[in-house]
Amino acid sequence: GAVVSQHPSWVICKSGTSVKIECRSLDFQATTMFWYRQFPKQSLMLMATSNEGSKATYEQGVEKDKFLINHASLTLSTLTVTSAHPEDSSFYICSARDGSSGAYNEQFFGPGTRLTVL
Amino acid sequence: AQSVTQPDIHITVSEGASLELRCNYSYGATPYLFWYVQSPGQGLQLLLKYFSGDTLVQGIKGFEAEFKRSQSSFNLRKPSVHWSDAAEYFCAVGANQAGTALIFGKGTTLSVSS
């Protein structure tokens, strides 16, 4: 089956530093990747949609200069949290859509990255 | 606008008893519907999905769900719950359009008592 990996699985950083999270589709080409954020005991909230080779589309209220998304290849998307602050601490989950799946909008989720900002 | 409602925030079921988790959606056309399970600190695992066809779908771990268009519902069921089923369950809806994100419900926490 389709597998999506994320790296790192958890990261602790100091306030003011930047953190990069990678999302990879291991056995398929992902034309579209999505980034979600999940706060404790809450649901997943979509942050942005990224299509390979083009700029990401951010949801309302998500700062694009703070959460930099790059989808440079069909198997890799990165999310960089710039100048991280404690309120950015969260569980970040990516998902990827198989470009060969036609009209079916099935997405495959990564295992998530736990970010803690001190 | 699309939305998903999971009316039950927390449910406790005795081990061996049956389970039904409710999910209602709002969408203008036939949606794609999903149920995911998440254990603490873990990612999402797909239990089952509905795209079209038979409205009763079977999933992994003995779960099933029934799509009822008239009620805009996609309830998840399991005839006999195991202690390992304790987790967070999310219902999600997706548009019948490639490349659009899923909309998640707020989730239902399932506790299993012995």
Side-chain angles (χ1 to χ4, degrees):
Chain A
V3 179
V4 176
S5 69
Q6 281 186 240
H7 178 80
S9 55
W10 59 270
V11 57
I12 301 173
C13 69
K14 293 182 178 180
S15 184
T17 61
S18 295
V19 174
K20 180 184 286 188
I21 302 170
E22 294 185 347
C23 175
R24 293 182 184 272
S25 57
L26 300 184
D27 49 3
F28 65 98
Q29 292 187 327
T31 51
T32 305
M33 288 185 169
F34 305 91
W35 287 95
Y36 296 83
R37 180 167 54 184
Q38 184 182 30
F39 291 108
K41 303 290 187 182
Q42 296 188 28
S43 188
L44 283 75
M45 298 300 294
L46 178 68
M47 298 176 66
T49 302
S50 74
N51 292 294
E52 185 266 338
S54 60
K55 290 184 177 180
T57 301
Y58 292 81
E59 295 299 297
Q60 190 172 6
V62 178
E63 300 174 58
K64 62 180 180 181
D65 294 331
K66 181 170 187 61
F67 299 99
L68 301 179
I69 293 173
N70 183 284
H71 191 166
S73 78
L74 285 172
T75 60
L76 173 65
S77 176
T78 60
L79 167 67
T80 301
V81 183
T82 63
S83 186
H85 291 283
E87 58 266 29
D88 299 323
S89 299
S90 188
F91 194 52
Y92 292 88
I93 302 176
C94 73
S95 71
R97 178 182 173 272
D98 186 344
S100 65
S101 64
Y104 289 131
N105 195 17
E106 183 169 7
Q107 299 165 26
F108 303 95
F109 284 82
T113 296
R114 172 77 58 194
L115 170 63
T116 301
V117 184
L118 302 177
Chain B
Q2 299 174 55
S3 67
V4 178
T5 301
Q6 293 181 246
D8 304 305
I9 297 174
H10 190 182
I11 284 182
T12 299
V13 177
S14 299
E15 189 169 16
S18 63
L19 168 71
E20 182 171 35
L21 301 182
R22 295 183 291 166
C23 173
N24 293 97
Y25 67 89
S26 174
Y27 186 65
T30 300
Y32 291 159
L33 294 160
F34 307 83
W35 274 100
Y36 291 89
V37 61
Q38 184 181 37
S39 296
Q42 303 296 312
L44 299 177
Q45 182 180 24
L46 178 66
L47 288 175
L48 47 78
K49 61 193 178 190
Y50 173 78
F51 287 166
S52 64
D54 192 346
T55 57
L56 183 63
V57 294
Q58 302 297 320
I60 62 172
K61 302 184 177 184
F63 286 94
E64 66 177 27
E66 186 171 11
F67 170 59
K68 293 185 177 180
R69 185 191 302 274
S70 62
Q71 299 177 20
S72 297
S73 69
F74 189 57
N75 294 347
L76 181 71
R77 301 193 294 251
K78 186 170 184 177
S80 178
V81 169
H82 188 263
W83 65 266
S84 60
D85 293 324
E88 188 80 13
Y89 291 79
F90 293 98
C91 180
V93 62
N96 185 7
Q97 179 180 352
T100 56
L102 299 184
I103 305 297
F104 286 84
K106 293 186 181 296
T108 297
T109 301
L110 173 64
S111 297
V112 180
S113 61
S114 56

